[in-house]
Structures are given as structure tokens and as C-alpha cells.
Amino acid sequence: MSEPNRYNDLQVNGPGWNRTTLVLIAVGTVLTIILFLLALWLGVGRIQSESKEAAIAIAEEKNASAQEVDLANTLRETTVDYVIEQEEIPAYTYAQVQSMDMSVPSGVTVDDLKQVTRYKLVGTEETLYQLEQEYDLNCLFLLAIASHESAYGTAQFHPNNVCGYGYKGFSSINECLRTVGKALANSYLSPSGAFYKGKTIAAVNRTYAADGAWNVKVAKKVAYFYQVISENHNAQLEKLK
């Protein structure tokens, strides 16, 4: 090939490159750019997806935290409301107790009763509570009788007869309480009862005990029980404020 022709060929095809090589290079370059852009697009999409998932997770965590706070507040408010409701049991005075209808339930709970039982009467709270639910009876009145007649169960003329009821013993203190509780409701506090004289402690005194001052001693204990229970409710309420 003459020098001018070879020079012309170099100008057209480049040094050692033909048209096919140039096409392949161009196609490869385009494919590389396409793949780069595709990878970039996929990377951006993945980042956006992960960001969205993170945002959702954060939102869920915030909601969970808010729910926990709301639950804590709800529980606290419920507890406060419960204690306030129980505060309806006031600290009655001796004079108020003497005028009370003992056939009206006191409304105390088992936990309330645990605040006022002593010595051998400890453990009778559930029985006292059940008797109030079953009969028309203020269970604090029954507890006061047992506390007065037996010095909280420590002095008994007959086995387990903590209420000074009749001249017999009982298999347990709880049996004595169930027997006397039923008798008070049906025979002493019911207008149709054999020993009914009225529904106050003084009225029951007329047929239950020979001691004319029995009602004073029992009423003082009932007033004391109300005072202790009411003070305990107030203390619980103060802790929640």
C-alpha cells in the first residue's frame, strides 16, 4: 500500500481498529452506562425502602411507648378511682354507730377486715365478709361482739365460742361466727325474728346480753373499726396523689 493510502486508512479506522471494533466499544460503553444507571436506581430504591421501614419501625415504637404510658395512666386512674370509691366508708362516731341499722351491710372488704381483726380472730375475715354478703348483717357488728365477748378470741368459756352465744362449744371459731351471724340476721335483726326488739345495737342488747352496758362496749368497738378502716383508705389515697 502506498504511503498516502495507508495514511488515509489510519485516519478513518484509527490505529489497528476497524469499524466492528468501534461498534463493539460503543455498545459496551452504552451497556456499562445502562448497568450503572440501573444499579444506581436499585440502590436508591433500596435506600428509600429501608428508610421507609425505619420510619415505620420508629412510628410503631413511639405508638407502643405511648400505649404503655396510656396503660400506666389508666391503671393509676383506675386504682385512684377504686380507692376513692372505697372512701365512702367514713369514720363514724360512737353516737352515729349507736343509731345505725345493723341489718345494713357495712360495705367493707376482706382487706378492710384484716386491718381490725386481732389475735385468734385473725383468719376469720373471709367468713365475716361472706356472712355480710349472704345475710342482712353488718359484719363489723358481729366482729365487735366476738372481740368484746372473748377479748379477740383469747378468752372463751366454751371451746371456740367467741361470741358468748349459748352454753356450748364449736368445732372452730368460723363455725361459731357462721352460727351467730345467721342468728343475728334471722332472729335478732329481722322483724319476724323471735328475739327482735329493733335494729340498733341497743335493741339487740335487750335480748342478746344480760349486761345493760353491753351495747356501749360493742358500739365503741364498731366505731373503732370504722375509724381504722377509714384511716387506712385515706393513707392509701395519699400514696397515690
Side-chain angles (χ1 to χ4, degrees):
M1 175 182 296
S2 64
E3 285 299 323
N5 289 336
R6 188 167 68 85
Y7 175 77
N8 292 335
D9 186 61
L10 286 173
Q11 282 187 321
V12 174
N13 298 321
W17 290 349
N18 55 31
R19 287 186 174 85
T20 302
T21 301
L22 291 173
V23 170
L24 290 175
I25 291 173
V27 171
T29 301
V30 172
L31 288 175
T32 299
I33 294 172
I34 292 173
L35 290 174
F36 173 76
L37 293 175
L38 180 61
L40 182 62
W41 179 79
L42 290 174
V44 171
R46 180 172 62 80
I47 291 172
Q48 289 178 340
S49 177
E50 291 178 352
S51 298
K52 184 177 181 180
E53 290 177 359
I56 292 173
I58 292 172
E60 289 178 348
E61 184 175 351
K62 287 182 178 179
N63 288 336
S65 298
Q67 289 175 358
E68 289 176 0
V69 172
D70 290 341
L71 178 59
N73 287 336
T74 300
L75 290 174
R76 182 180 180 280
E77 290 171 1
T78 301
T79 304
V80 171
D81 290 343
Y82 173 76
V83 175
I84 291 174
E85 180 181 342
Q86 295 302 308
E87 183 60 19
E88 292 177 358
I89 301 175
Y92 291 110
T93 65
Y94 165 76
Q96 289 174 317
V97 169
Q98 279 286 29
S99 64
M100 287 174 64
D101 182 344
M102 289 296 124
S103 69
V104 177
S106 67
V108 299
T109 66
V110 172
D111 287 337
D112 291 332
L113 289 166
K114 288 180 180 179
Q115 301 296 319
V116 291
T117 51
R118 299 287 184 272
Y119 305 113
K120 291 190 176 181
L121 295 183
V122 173
T124 63
E125 299 87 3
E126 189 68 40
T127 296
L128 291 164
Y129 175 79
Q130 290 175 352
L131 287 168
E132 178 163 300
Q133 306 309 304
E134 186 174 354
Y135 299 106
D136 290 329
L137 174 68
N138 183 326
C139 69
L140 293 180
F141 176 36
L142 176 58
L143 175 60
I145 292 174
S147 301
H148 166 65
E149 292 286 350
S150 67
Y152 291 94
T154 62
Q156 307 162 22
F157 291 106
H158 303 283
N160 298 313
N161 190 340
V162 293
C163 295
Y165 186 74
Y167 303 95
K168 64 176 183 177
F170 295 91
S171 62
S172 66
I173 291 176
N174 281 323
E175 184 197 8
C176 174
L177 293 174
R178 283 190 286 268
T179 299
V180 177
K182 182 178 179 180
L184 285 172
N186 296 334
S187 301
Y188 291 87
L189 295 173
S190 172
S192 61
F195 305 110
Y196 178 76
K197 297 296 181 181
K199 296 187 176 184
T200 63
I201 297 176
V204 174
N205 187 170
R206 294 171 61 186
T207 50
Y208 188 94
D211 180 7
W214 178 89
N215 72 92
V216 175
K217 301 166 187 175
V218 171
K220 285 182 177 179
K221 288 194 178 302
V222 173
Y224 168 72
F225 295 156
Y226 272 116
Q227 180 182 359
V228 171
I229 292 171
S230 182
E231 288 178 354
N232 179 61
H233 281 240
N234 287 334
Q236 290 184 51
L237 189 57
E238 284 298 320
K239 291 178 181 179
L240 294 171
K241 289 182 179 179

